[in-house]
Amino acid sequence: MKILPATRLLNNWLVLLLLTPFGLFAQNGIIKGKISDKISNEAIPFANVLVIGTDFGATTDENGLYEITGLTPGLYNIRASFVGYEDATAFEIQVTNNKPAVADFELSSSSQKLDEVVIKAPPFKKTEESPVSLRTIGVAEIQRNPGGNRDISKVVQTLPGVTITPAFRNDLIIRGGAPNENRFFLDDVEVPNINHFATQGASGGPVGLINVNFINEVDFFSGAFPANRGNAVSSVFNFRQRDGRDDRIGGTFMVSASDIGLTLEGPIGDKTTFLLSARRSYLQFLFKIFELPFLPIYNDFQAKVKVKLDKKNELTFIGLGAYDQFELNLEANDTEEQQSILDRLPENPQWSYTNGLVYKHYRTNGYYTVVLSRSMLDNKAIKYYQNDKSNPNNLILNYQSQEIENKLRLENTVRAGDFRLNYGVGYEFARYNNSTFNRIFTSAGAQTIDYSSAFNFSKYNVFGQISRKFVDNRLSLSAGIRADANTYSEEMSNLLEQLSPRFSASYSLSKNLALNFNAGIFYQLPPYTILGYQQGGEFINKNNGIKYIRNNQLVAGLEFNTNNNARITVEGFYKGYANYPFLLRDSLTLANLGGDFGVVGNEPAIPRSKGRSYGMEFLFQQRLFKGFYGIAAYTLGWSEFEDKNGELLPSSWDARHIVNLTLGKKLKKNWEIGLNWRFQTGLPRTPFSNNSSLVANWDVNGRGIPDYNQLNTERSEAINFLDFRVDKKWFFPKWSLNLYFDIENMFSASVSSPELFLDRPLDADGRPIGSGVILNPDASVGEQRYKTKVLDNGTGQALPSIGLMIEW
């Protein structure tokens, strides 16, 4: 969506650089924070804090507070340590002159009874519950990622096991699983989707909606999910947000090639801080200028308010909302491609929000967590034949649906001797309504879907996990169990039917080398679109005995941590699926859908599909060290699901080979450059059905119909992208400025995306004449067919972007 010419953007950017003063200012950067016990939240006095690679450091006071002054603005790694605790390191803390950088540490006590020894922890996060398949992403990594445009979903695509879709979307396809298999948590509050223009029934969209300025770090689990994180079979994301500043009101202004945003933060009294942001796109103006046939407009809002009631109690409010409009530009109809897009795309307004309260009460040996939240998605789509709204008979699609979830989760985390326990219960009251009118033609023939449905039901779960370290902390073991059920149907009402045991182990073979393992059974509820589908006034999929999707996982690997803030991991994984919804209308499993706009799962289904994905991953990750940082990742994997004959075929996400290489360097005078190379072998695709060209079919669908009798028998071309980014920062006494120039796909590598087009009559300049079409003269007697052709509608354009961020 970044479409300004690269040369124009670059010239403007360089002019702005030349006009900006280069004067030197006082270097009064500050790092401050608190060091506390991770379980009890008790302050740790007299702990040591060191700015790695410098002579700067401090010791905490009796309240666990520290402050380090006199720092030159830049990125620093900070280490905290205290006797009897595992030390901890915070990487790439951005220090400026205009506000103190905050680095709080929660130290874990060692199970060893040592009085004079500090336990050195590895530089990368690793928990007893998830010793494998856990990657932690810092805010600096998100902000500077080449081609990422400050979007966490795009940054995740540089990690092993993540498949890229050729449509430049944010669909998260993890280890061969479908886009609907992921879950997101924002400071313990579950958020159904983190993208604008969300695909209902899946998790993707083209633009992320979480403000990176709120993020402290992100834990990305591609397996080995803790027991308190349920309803996921491919990945779990834990977003941990920072607190608002507590000294004064400040803010951040951000403008890029696609949107503009403002973040404000500061104190409200002595015990409360806030973060508040709003963002709006102006893509509709740019798209009109460049005569694109669609006009996306997105807005998002985010808030965090934290109240520290006293030393033992705190309350946090989380808010996240989006309002999106997708309109058609009917004036952009001069080319075949433009006319084809206008023929098939609906108008698609959508809005969503999540609000949540998180209460924590700390005790000497643990803490309670109470999470109360509400989420809602309102999704609409409307389409008229040739976009003519004057005749009601031209109506092809009129869709409106709402998903509403009210959730309560109670957790207790406790340390009992050398054991760490986490257990709790959860309850959710959900409501879904759907009104669908849709005239469609499939390979099976003509259908008109016309129904309305509404239902509500309760979900409930229990979970528990126990962890302990043995053999002088070299061996860590963790066992957990979870059970989910709901009142939707008898098949899913018994907790014991969805029992999810899991087990993790990690053994340190040497100081830097560890062997890690996890096995577990995980369950996920099918999308509401499947649960709420009706035929003849009945919930047909309920009658079909739809069930939770089951996934058996096994992961094992080696991890080597170097002495230079780097690690190398090799992991093998296997995922076995059962009870996946099999869609009866087109005879394919839901697991093959979700990487496109629209709605998936709104049709009859039965719980019969099986599948599997397996492979190995390699990762080399270098934290900032002597100005360099980088990631090298390779994935070899297979993803297969059953077809209508029960045979395992490559799924739509069977990428086989994925290579990612990210390299960056911090230069003098606060310059920074980065490169990101992505290579992925082509994904399977299904050829078009011969019935696509039938006049009755095309007039409704406006596009080719896949021939699912030839499911995934073709493959697209390989993806081969190179992204480039350069940043320049200035630090003034009261504010700072960051300019960046980013090019995605800088060599304009083409990505094949065949589409079926009508063979329209053209004028002397090669432009389609009106909306006329050509009937196929070779059609059989009694058949009316359009003359069609296949065009490569792939993307082969460099996408430059320029951005400016002012912080005060």
Side-chain angles (χ1 to χ4, degrees), residues 187-235:
D187 284 346
D188 288 316
V189 175
E190 184 175 354
V191 179
N193 197 293
I194 60 171
N195 291 294
H196 289 284
F197 306 105
T199 301
Q200 192 173 3
S203 66
V207 182
L209 64 89
I210 292 182
N211 186 345
V212 175
N213 293 328
F214 279 55
I215 300 300
N216 187 29
E217 63 180 11
V218 182
D219 287 337
F220 163 50
F221 300 83
S222 56
F225 314 131
N228 64 348
R229 297 291 185 258
N231 203 33
V233 293
S234 268
S235 76

Side-chain angles (χ1 to χ4, degrees), residues 145-146 154-164 618-621 630-635 657-663 675-680 719 721 723:
N145 182 263
K154 286 183 170 59
V155 176
V156 170
Q157 292 177 354
T158 65
L159 298 176
V162 184
T163 300
I164 305 168
F618 168 83
L619 172 68
F620 171 78
Q621 184 176 5
I631 291 177
Y634 169 69
T635 303
H657 300 280
I658 307 172
V659 181
N660 287 285
L661 179 62
T662 302
L663 179 64
L675 289 171
N676 179 28
W677 175 57
R678 296 173 290 167
F679 174 84
Q680 178 181 288
I719 295 173
F721 292 157
D723 306 325

Side-chain angles (χ1 to χ4, degrees), residues 614-628:
Y614 55 95
M616 60 82 62
E617 300 170 352
F618 168 83
L619 172 68
F620 171 78
Q621 184 176 5
Q622 175 66 64
R623 296 275 198 183
L624 184 64
F625 182 73
K626 294 185 178 180
F628 287 94

